[in-house]
Amino acid sequence: EPEVTQTPSHQVTQMGQEVILRCVPISNHLYFYWYRQILGQKVEFLVSFYNNEISEKSEIFDDQFSVERPDGSNFTLKIRSTKLEDSAMYFCASSAHLDNQPQHFGDGTRLSIL
Amino acid sequence: AQKITQTQPGMFVQEKEAVTLDCTYDTSDPSYGLFWYKQPSSGEMIFLIYQGSYDQQNATEGRYSLNFQKARKSANLVISASQLGDSAMYFCAMRESGGSYIPTFGRGTSLIVHP
């Protein structure tokens, strides 16, 4: 069964450094998402992406964040200058459509900011 | 106001027994979808089951079924014949079709299955 893959599984970065989290969505999916989950808390939406542009973003997704689909398969989340509070699990998800199709999640990247 | 409420922070169930995980939601949108995800201790998010607001029948997927009570705005997940591998966090989520399509997640319920 096709799946969303994320790399790396764990990223440790110094505060202030840039980090890029990578995702390969399911190949025939059109909608892509990033979520984060701070340890022990609920899943929070960051951004959605469709047709090579951001379709929605939350207030968490400030100027420090950006997303890109550099080629036909990868979908990346960049954090320009990481802060301690960026430490979380980051999930990429994709769906075929918006409406009643479930979002399929990757296994997540655990980001630890030191 | 919370759009998704999961009132049970933790639940325990004996192996092979059935368990119900509660989820209530709040929306004025007539068209919406409800989802349940499982998050094992390893961290990944696994889609379990979907219920559309216009679906006439309760969704079922193997040992998972969704007890959808539209008037009460509840979408409880029922796991039949619990297995040790069902021990995980379970998240209920809702996506409204009008306006934003972004799902809102509840805070989750931790399920522990005892042998």
Side-chain angles (χ1 to χ4, degrees), chain A residues 9-83:
Chain A
S9 56
H10 191 187
Q11 175 82 44
V12 182
T13 302
Q14 291 285 337
M15 186 172 61
Q17 296 295 305
E18 174 183 285
V19 66
I20 297 176
L21 310 182
R22 302 180 192 280
C23 170
V24 179
I26 294 173
S27 61
N28 63 344
H29 283 187
L30 302 176
Y31 299 87
F32 315 116
Y33 314 84
W34 281 101
Y35 293 85
R36 79 171 186 192
Q37 185 182 29
I38 295 171
L39 186 64
Q41 298 188 22
K42 66 178 179 178
V43 177
E44 300 174 293
F45 167 72
L46 292 177
V47 66
S48 63
F49 194 85
Y50 170 70
N51 201 25
N52 285 320
E53 60 183 26
I54 291 174
S55 47
E56 284 197 68
K57 60 182 181 179
S58 71
E59 57 191 25
I60 302 169
F61 193 87
D62 61 22
D63 292 344
Q64 293 299 314
F65 291 89
S66 63
V67 289
E68 198 176 38
R69 189 157 162 80
D71 53 44
S73 59
N74 290 288
F75 179 51
T76 62
L77 174 70
K78 181 194 288 186
I79 310 175
R80 286 190 186 82
S81 178
T82 50
K83 304 186 284 287

Side-chain angles (χ1 to χ4, degrees), chain A residues 33 35 37 41-43 45 48 56 89 91 95 97-107, chain B residues 2 31 35 37 39 42-45 47 50 91 95 97 99-107:
Chain A
Y33 314 84
Y35 293 85
Q37 185 182 29
Q41 298 188 22
K42 66 178 179 178
V43 177
F45 167 72
S48 63
E56 284 197 68
M89 182 78 103
F91 289 103
S95 63
H97 303 287
L98 274 181
D99 204 358
N100 64 351
Q101 296 298 311
Q103 296 179 357
H104 293 268
F105 282 70
D107 288 349
Chain B
Q2 293 285 336
S31 178
F35 305 82
Y37 287 87
Q39 187 177 41
S42 48
E44 68 268 32
M45 292 283 284
F47 166 72
Y50 166 83
F91 291 95
R95 186 160 68 197
S97 295
S100 171
Y101 282 92
I102 303 306
T104 304
F105 284 79
R107 293 194 173 274

